[in-house]
Amino acid sequence: MGFRTQKPIEEQVVVITGASSGIGLSTARLAASRGARVVMAARSPEIEQLAEQLRGEGGRAEAVVADVSSEHDVRHVADVAEARFGRIDTWINNAGTSVYGRALEVPVDDMRELFDTDFWGTVYGSRVAVERMRDLGGTLINVGGVVSDHAMPLQGANSAAKHAVKGFTDALRVELEHDGVPVQITLLKPASIDTPFFAHARNRLDDGVPAAPPPVYAPEIVARALLDCAVRPKREVAVGTSGRAQLLLARWMPALSDKIVERRMFEPQMRREPHEPRVLGPGSERGDHRGMVRRRSADVTARRAPAMGAVVAGVGAVLVAIGLMRVASRVAESRAV
């Protein structure tokens, strides 16, 4: 079947889960500003107020209070979308959570709860979305992450869930292609994004609180990539140049990648602070990252301007190659000491 261009975003009905904050809220606001009819789903009752804000700004938005870990709730989201706007063109499975801690120390109940949202919520959303878009066609976008391919320490459960999301998404894509179902599937893999994700994550660290490891990107970058995929679907899209570099490193030199992660990715994932509540409620697109937040990403710019794609890809490959050589040299020197 291959990937085909879909209708313009201003003609689409877009369903977004996890739409009360972070990437989901940023995407809902951008989609509404571009003329799409947006259905915003989230567990928080405040999702109603956020949809009202969009309507007050001239957008067309509907809110649904729903927990994606409940298949009944997910079906209710689809029912509301069809009742209000008549159909669904793009469904974005964005809802997700995390738990930080060492893999052998995080309680299994925490892991199960995470899988209920991150994995089963994606499964329910995917099944319902395909069911509702099977005849007219559409786009399903599952939000994974760099950890869909490249596991991170202190995020074992999240890495496992996002690996599972990738496996399910890839299998579903092939099955729909085989059956000729006109639903196109994209797996979106953001890098480190400044959202409330880290403040909302369950913290099982002994000596700090979860933090976004740099370089950190703004959620608007992911929102633009999501809406681009709603119109021009692709198989997989990594958002954030650093994320693409991590994936290339893990693919080309996995043992070296593990060694770098072992030495470089523990401290940047936490802040040495007391375990105190960090309140970033519904309506917050940004998190509490204290360093620089990048508002642009060269890889996203290249996708939006195809003529630049080859140039950016070539430059990126050279930079990654240089980085690999430098890191390899450092690791070799450390072993020789």
Side-chain angles (χ1 to χ4, degrees), residues 145-208:
V146 171
V147 294
S148 296
D149 296 285
H150 190 204
M152 296 294 289
L154 307 181
Q155 292 192 62
N158 188 37
S159 297
K162 294 304 186 182
H163 272 62
V165 165
K166 174 176 168 55
F168 174 80
T169 301
D170 289 347
L172 178 60
R173 183 189 298 109
V174 172
E175 291 173 2
L176 297 185
E177 289 272 356
H178 176 270
D179 295 342
V181 177
V183 176
Q184 304 182 93
I185 303 180
T186 293
L187 178 65
L188 197 89
K189 299 184 286 188
S192 188
I193 310 298
D194 181 32
T195 72
F197 175 86
F198 305 95
H200 293 169
R202 185 160 294 175
N203 186 13
R204 299 297 186 183
L205 299 171
D206 292 330
D207 51 358

Side-chain angles (χ1 to χ4, degrees), residues 51-119:
E52 180 61 34
Q53 288 178 8
L54 294 189
R55 290 193 292 268
E57 295 166 0
R60 293 174 290 178
E62 189 71 27
V64 186
V65 177
D67 184 342
V68 298
S69 67
S70 163
E71 184 174 9
H72 176 271
D73 281 13
V74 175
R75 289 194 172 278
H76 178 58
V77 173
D79 290 341
V80 170
E82 292 183 329
R84 178 68 177 84
F85 297 121
R87 66 179 191 279
I88 299 169
D89 297 300
T90 293
W91 183 294
I92 301 173
N93 283 315
N94 166 72
T97 185
S98 189
V99 54
Y100 275 71
R102 293 178 178 268
L104 298 182
E105 298 174 0
V106 170
V108 171
D109 285 347
D110 286 0
M111 296 184 182
R112 291 184 185 277
E113 185 175 337
L114 183 150
F115 262 76
D116 282 343
T117 298
D118 288 36
F119 177 67

Side-chain angles (χ1 to χ4, degrees), residues 4-24:
R4 306 180 313 278
T5 300
Q6 302 283 40
K7 65 183 69 172
I9 198 67
E10 63 268 19
E11 298 178 12
Q12 289 201 29
V13 177
V14 180
V15 175
I16 307 168
T17 68
S20 63
S21 65
I23 291 170

Side-chain angles (χ1 to χ4, degrees), residues 241 244-245 248-249 252-253 309-327:
T241 308
R244 289 172 63 85
L248 287 172
L249 176 61
W252 293 349
M253 305 178 73
V311 175
V312 172
V315 172
V318 171
L319 293 176
V320 170
I322 292 172
L324 287 175
M325 289 187 289
R326 287 178 175 172
V327 171

Side-chain angles (χ1 to χ4, degrees), residues 289-305:
H289 180 65
R290 296 175 183 176
M292 183 181 77
V293 176
R294 303 187 180 194
R295 300 181 62 86
R296 297 182 183 278
S297 176
D299 57 313
V300 175
T301 302
R303 284 195 300 273
R304 293 175 61 81

